């Protein structure tokens, strides 16, 4: 299978949380800048983010929460954005990403998605009733995507993990403990239930460990096949 080299890149707490709570009103991007001991070193994460791959994967749910459905026209960037979405993005959100992206790819199983009403040369829609991430990555490869950075939520991250679609993991760890069994973690989704499923584990080899300023840490791993 020809597909992009895929890296999971995320900011998380020491206990693996990627949100500050179990409601959409709480979010690390909004909340960490308000908290002493976290806000001082947060810029390092965004600086590292600027060095990630020029193909970026996320979800419509996350982007809708960030307000793209009501934003004006953004500046064009060299980044090609890939969004997995069925119901969260409206037509304005699609146009926003068409304006922002070099190439914009929507992955969906919704044949009535508002994206079908948008006509832009850089818009690509991959629509299948039973959407397969493996097939989607193969499709991205045909568009010229050789390296992909994934920054989605814990549930979608779990699909990449279980389908063995991660090649590397790049994590910035913030010096905080959040807790809460319902708070999203780096990998959520369905838990393993038997010894037979242990082959689905993501076994990692450490390739880099950098102590950042203000007690932040960057960990890089290769996913062992």
């Amino acid at each position: 299978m020809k597909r992009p080299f895929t890296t999971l890149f995320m900011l998380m707490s020491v206990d693996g949380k990627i949100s500050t709570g179990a409601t959409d009103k709480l979010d690390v991007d909004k909340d960490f800048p308000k908290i002493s001991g976290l806000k001082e070193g947060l810029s390092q994460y965004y600086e590292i983010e600027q060095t990630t791959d020029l193909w970026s994967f996320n979800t419509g749910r996350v982007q809708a929460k960030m307000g793209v459905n009501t934003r004006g026209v953004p500046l064009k960037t060299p980044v090609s954005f890939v969004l997995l979405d069925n119901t969260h993005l409206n037509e304005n959100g699609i146009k926003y990403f068409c304006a922002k992206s070099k190439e914009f790819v929507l992955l969906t199983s919704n044949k009535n998605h508002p994206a079908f009403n948008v006509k832009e040369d850089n818009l690509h829609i991959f629509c299948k009733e039973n959407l397969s991430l493996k097939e989607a990555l193969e499709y991205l490869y045909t568009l010229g995507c050789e390296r992909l950075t994934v920054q989605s939520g814990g549930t979608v991250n779990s699909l990449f993990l279980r389908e063995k679609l991660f090649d590397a993991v790049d994590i910035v760890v913030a010096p905080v403990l959040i807790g809460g069994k319902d708070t999203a973690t780096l990998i959520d989704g369905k838990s393993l239930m038997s010894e037979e499923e242990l082959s689905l584990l993501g076994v990692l080899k450490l390739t880099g460990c950098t102590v950042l300023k203000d007690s932040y840490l960057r960990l890089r791993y290769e996913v062992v096949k």
Side-chain angles (χ1 to χ4, degrees), residues 53-124:
D53 301 314
L54 289 177
W55 284 79
S56 176
F57 179 100
N58 212 305
T59 65
R61 179 180 181 275
V62 170
Q63 296 303 316
K65 186 170 71 169
M66 294 176 65
V68 300
N69 285 334
T70 57
R71 287 183 183 175
V73 178
L75 295 175
K76 178 71 74 174
T77 74
V79 179
S80 293
F81 289 92
V82 182
L83 293 185
L84 176 66
D85 182 67
N86 281 335
T87 60
H88 292 91
L89 293 178
N90 62 19
E91 196 168 313
N92 185 81
I94 297 298
K95 291 179 178 178
Y96 174 90
F97 273 101
C98 288
K100 184 176 183 178
S101 308
K102 181 178 180 181
E103 304 292 339
F104 174 46
V105 185
L106 177 75
L107 310 178
T108 185
S109 58
N110 179 8
K111 63 182 181 181
N112 297 312
H113 197 284
F116 287 104
N117 298 324
V118 177
K119 305 300 179 185
E120 296 288 349
D121 291 340
N122 67 338
L123 173 61
H124 311 271

Side-chain angles (χ1 to χ4, degrees), residues 145-222:
C145 175
E146 296 184 354
R147 299 185 66 90
L148 177 70
T149 294
V150 175
Q151 292 178 277
S152 58
T155 300
V156 175
N157 289 346
S158 73
L159 300 178
F160 276 89
L161 173 66
R162 301 309 185 208
E163 293 189 43
K164 299 291 186 180
L165 296 176
F166 283 136
D167 301 294
V169 177
D170 190 351
I171 300 297
V172 176
V173 182
V176 62
L177 295 169
I178 295 174
K181 67 177 183 178
D182 296 321
T183 301
T185 68
L186 187 67
I187 304 289
D188 288 327
K190 186 179 178 181
S191 299
L192 301 182
M193 300 297 290
S194 68
E195 289 186 7
E196 288 73 23
E197 294 178 300
L198 293 180
S199 62
L200 299 176
L201 289 172
V203 180
L204 308 176
K205 177 182 178 182
L206 186 67
T207 59
C209 178
T210 305
V211 178
L212 304 175
K213 296 178 182 178
D214 299 297
S215 297
Y216 276 74
L217 187 67
R218 184 183 186 185
L219 301 174
R220 282 168 286 177
Y221 296 92
E222 170 191 340

